[in-house]
Amino acid sequence: MTAAPGGVWAAIDRVISSRRGFLLLMLAYVLAQGALRVASSPSLGRDDLIEAIVVQGWALGYNPTQPPLYAWLVMAASEALGPGVPAHALVKFSSLYLGYVFFYLAAERALADRRLAALATLTWLVTYMYGWDITQNYTESVLLLTTASALMYLALKLRDGGGWGDYLALGLVLGLGALTKYNFPVIALTLLVAGLMDARSRRAILDRRMVAAVLVAVLLFLPHWLWIKYGPHNFRGAFTGALQVGWKGGYWAGVGSGLVSIVRSSFDFLAPGVVLWAVLFWRAFLPGVPAPDAERDARRLFDRWLMLAFAVMAGAVLFGGATVVKYHYMVMALLPAPIWLFLRVKHLDWRTDLGAWRGRAFVGIVALAVVVVGGAAVWRGFAVTDRCGRCYLQWDYAAIAGKLRAAGFARGVIVADDHHTGGNLRTHFPESPMYTLRYPDFVPPNHRGGGDGQCLVIWDAAEDGAALPDDMAGFVKIRLGARPDEPHKAGVIEQNFRRSDRRASKLGYVLFAAGSGKCR
């Protein structure tokens, strides 16, 4: 490809055409995102709250809808840094960076062109999923990018020939991937079947060293599998929550809803980047894009991988009753999409370097997206809170925790009405087992039901009033053996939001000085 002319564009082109330069650029981007998240609020985000609730001790499993690897990483980071935002941010943004590294390395191997590999990786920054939602909300889905991209990289490396170390690394990734998300095996299975239809990949798959890789993966996943098998967990409920199973309007209406959901979620997963693709690289979507014989097999491998993944999803609709597929689950099908696109762009008679308008437009829009997302994150964290909705990131839990201590709570069991209050109070009372009505079946691993601790019941009084809600009274009585009619201290805490003198959180609480039953 022709090099870009001198000036700023030439400097940028040199960066994205260099492996070291591009990976340093991505490191700077992820570090900036992580630093902004830590600086903007000491309150946990949406999925981080769930992790804070479940990570109350080491266990082989926590949540039947998610494997435990991400929780283990948060547990380790929390022991090193404390159970606050920095520990959660360290795990999330380290995972995000490693995901981009492995995706770039896989793209570089598939495309044999570092500039195109960089453009394929930069595509994720102009999708809502990875440009915004991952950085603000998701947890396990971030780690899934890492393990799935590592799997893709190792599969392509073994396709070109690999040694014992590569096969053992593959087993490690397969085991860790299965411990990341329960949909990881779909990614691995569709890649396996696509590989069996490719001569070079088939030789690697049928190699005797693959037995060692599978053995490593099985040994890694086995302890958690025993937890799944012998624990009281409802996996039908987990599957239903992810895919919304059940035909309410008849079979064909359900099938139609499910198939439409796949199409819509596919667009949402890649949007708005897919629109940028369609404008700049529209010819790549047309049939008949040429390719040299040496690279035609690689194109076919990615074609088949994508088609097989969509076939699996269609099968879930046709035979499993899935009617709604959430958009973030489309990573099962669309992880290789940017590489698939640029495998086709590579052989068009277009220039994509930064001396050509397509290359400049693509990189320029990516840069604009990064600036816009950064501005939105700044506004979300630092703007006047009178303009936001529930403003959970602006609740002053440090002050709330201080008022609870002043009211007499020192240590013991906490029962919160939702995971926002419970998860954030966990960061201030890390030694106190935390229950929440959001996950009523979850039992904290650090709660033994003995000792002489207190019992604190806390809820959103702005929504449920100042009196102890009936559902919370029933929970502590039935689940924990406490008697809500025992002598206790009750009150309401009002605390202004950070950066606002007009809005405040209002939390009601009941404090049992010596918790009865298991509530202590």
Side-chain angles (χ1 to χ4, degrees), residues 31 47 80 87 114 179 182 213 258 264 289 296 310 319 325 339-340 367 382 397 411 417 431 489 493 497 504:
L31 286 175
D47 283 8
R114 288 178 177 171
L179 290 169
Y182 290 128
R264 183 175 60 247
V289 176
R296 193 168 296 150
F310 277 102
F319 307 111
V325 180
I339 299 176
W340 173 89
F382 298 100
Y397 283 100
R411 64 182 179 85
D417 59 339
E431 302 303 321
K489 182 176 183 180
I493 292 175
F497 290 176

Side-chain angles (χ1 to χ4, degrees), residues 377-395:
V378 169
W379 184 89
R380 189 186 189 210
F382 298 100
V384 177
T385 53
D386 300 330
R387 302 173 189 168
C388 56
R390 295 287 292 171
C391 299
Y392 283 119
L393 289 182
Q394 300 302 341
W395 286 37

